Amino acid sequence: MAVDVHAIDGKLAAPDERFDVVVVGAGDAGTAAAIAAAGEGATVLLVDENPVLGELMGSDVPLFYGGRMTAAVQQPGRMLEQIFASNPALEAAMEAGVDVRLGTCAWGLYANGPAMRALPEPMLGIADAERATMIGFGRLVLATGARDLVLGFAGWDRPGVMGAQGFAALLTRYDAFAGRRVLIVGSGALALETARLALSRGIAMAGIVEVADAVQWSALGELGVPLFLGHAIVSVEVGIEGVNGATLATPGSPARIAVACDTVILAIGAIPATELLDAAGVRPGETIALVGDCASVSRPDSAILQAWCAALGRHAPPETIVCQCEAVTRADLIGVQPPRYLDRPERMAERSLSTLLADGPAHPDQIKRLTRAGMGPCQGRRCREQVACLLAEKQGIPLDRVPIASFRTPVRPVPLGILADWHESAAMTAGWDVWFGIPTQWTPYAIIGTPEEAEQVSGLGGNMHV
């Protein structure tokens, strides 16, 4: 039987470490799951990316912090103390024998499936500030919470516009929120929770904005906070420290309302943070379980989301940013053009979403490749829903019919120097030159100009050099 010497079967290195149970996310749900597993006699690893480095918070990873952090986030020691202060159960987990690793992100999940059958066992890639490690596991528990849902309007990309999840993290986890007077967008359960949190911390409330004519949660009316019903944000005013006010409008009316605030909090909804599963192409089951918010939080109702997008879009000028990382505007996305920092040949300039739709329905992944919307450090966390809503609007279809944009590993920004330090077996190293080629097409570099080259060509048909 012929054996392909360049196949990866049996050559992938075993994981660096192995645990019976690995828990990702050291919030209340994740910590409780880790303690319970340790109590059953399992070896347990609990990892959490918090405290997040200040520079990642500045890039709005993993949440939409919106530049409203105090200088305290630049003090690693103080941030670590805050993590333990906000979750005393972490000490109980350590006493129970759980291996707790903070400041450690889970950047990749690998499991055998239709496209991969060469892994020695399921593995999770984790990384701290110094190294990346592959962890084998018997069972994986994801307690990764929920991420912010971001919708754009003129000025949303300036400091002072943030997500409700980021706001809650800065207040309850880090005690590092820099705002003083907030305006909340949305009137559902998340908005109510956000408003109550702000009031409990003595933060002034400028009001709650809702595009519909009634609030989704009636309890909001009992808070004594101004309600701007039937309104949408037109823009924010910006000063030296970012947002210092917002302008509201009602559909079909030229009238404008100016609201004094230094922070706009997007609380229309949240999205379960299941990027690890999405990138790996696996679903929860016997080996992988979801707990906490990533299991219980539901995506906002599509009709509500489309209503918000339509209302905000009525006032958004073409130069409104959609993808902040890559500076892709509404005009760029609708025109299916690359970012301004890239060349736009005449032939490319003739392209638009209309010409693209002539060939069939548009997919967010296709738009990402053509415009780079979603390719930045936040990996689409701030523009994913905006792109989907624009595609639904321009195609005249319900949002539910627009596919979800995919994630790719690594799902967190990890320096290449850290990933490159991963151990690779000699068997893998020997075949590096054709891992991304086809054996019948490529001649390995090491045999070019040797007698083996003729054998390669005659046996496998290789006729190109790498």
Side-chain angles (χ1 to χ4, degrees), residues 283-466:
R283 300 265 64 86
E286 294 183 5
T287 303
I288 301 174
L290 304 180
V291 300
D293 285 349
C294 69
S296 60
V297 169
S298 299
R299 298 176 66 89
D301 181 85
S302 296
I304 293 175
L305 194 53
Q306 281 190 282
W308 269 106
C309 288
L312 295 173
R314 291 189 191 100
H315 307 289
E319 63 272 16
T320 301
I321 292 291
V322 172
C323 174
Q324 187 174 349
C325 296
E326 296 291 330
V328 179
T329 67
R330 286 176 62 93
D332 295 335
L333 195 131
I334 294 172
V336 194
Q337 298 298 308
R340 303 301 173 91
Y341 62 79
L342 296 177
D343 292 334
R344 296 183 176 184
E346 183 177 347
R347 183 177 179 182
M348 186 179 294
E350 297 174 355
R351 186 175 64 194
S352 69
L353 192 54
S354 298
T355 63
L356 200 66
L357 294 176
D359 295 326
H363 192 290
D365 284 347
Q366 177 189 33
I367 296 298
K368 178 168 66 174
R369 296 184 184 101
L370 295 174
T371 68
R372 294 191 59 83
M375 284 192 176
C378 85
Q379 296 189 333
R381 290 172 180 83
R382 288 176 293 183
C383 65
R384 192 171 298 266
E385 282 67 41
Q386 296 186 63
V387 171
C389 284
L390 277 170
L391 290 181
E393 176 186 340
K394 296 304 176 182
Q395 294 178 90
I397 61 175
L399 183 59
D400 290 339
R401 289 178 54 189
V402 178
I404 301 297
S406 62
F407 281 95
R408 287 188 175 184
T409 301
V411 298
R412 288 291 187 271
V414 181
L416 287 177
I418 290 178
L419 290 181
D421 197 35
W422 180 50
H423 171 70
E424 186 174 79
S425 67
M428 284 286 287
T429 303
W432 71 268
D433 53 338
V434 292
W435 291 138
F436 299 103
I438 303 171
T440 56
Q441 182 179 7
W442 298 94
T443 300
Y445 179 83
I447 67 172
I448 295 174
T450 71
E452 285 79 8
E453 180 177 7
E455 296 178 11
Q456 167 80 13
V457 173
S458 61
L460 293 176
N463 56 9
M464 295 188 191
H465 294 163
V466 292

Side-chain angles (χ1 to χ4, degrees), residues 134-146:
M134 297 301 292
I135 304 294
F137 58 85
R139 188 160 63 92
L140 177 66
V141 179
L142 296 184
T144 44

Side-chain angles (χ1 to χ4, degrees), residues 52-124:
V52 177
L53 295 175
E55 52 265 34
L56 290 183
M57 297 180 82
S59 298
D60 294 316
V61 178
L63 302 176
F64 185 29
Y65 296 104
R68 271 296 174 257
M69 307 86 68
T70 67
V73 302
Q74 302 297 335
Q75 303 173 27
R78 186 262 187 195
M79 294 279 277
L80 187 59
E81 290 177 359
Q82 285 297 134
I83 294 296
F84 279 97
S86 64
N87 185 8
L90 282 172
E91 292 187 19
M94 297 172 73
E95 292 173 357
V98 176
D99 186 340
V100 178
R101 302 183 192 180
L102 302 179
T104 301
C105 71
W107 53 264
L109 171 62
Y110 299 91
N112 284 322
M116 170 71 78
R117 299 188 182 277
L119 292 173
E121 63 177 307
M123 295 189 287
L124 181 74

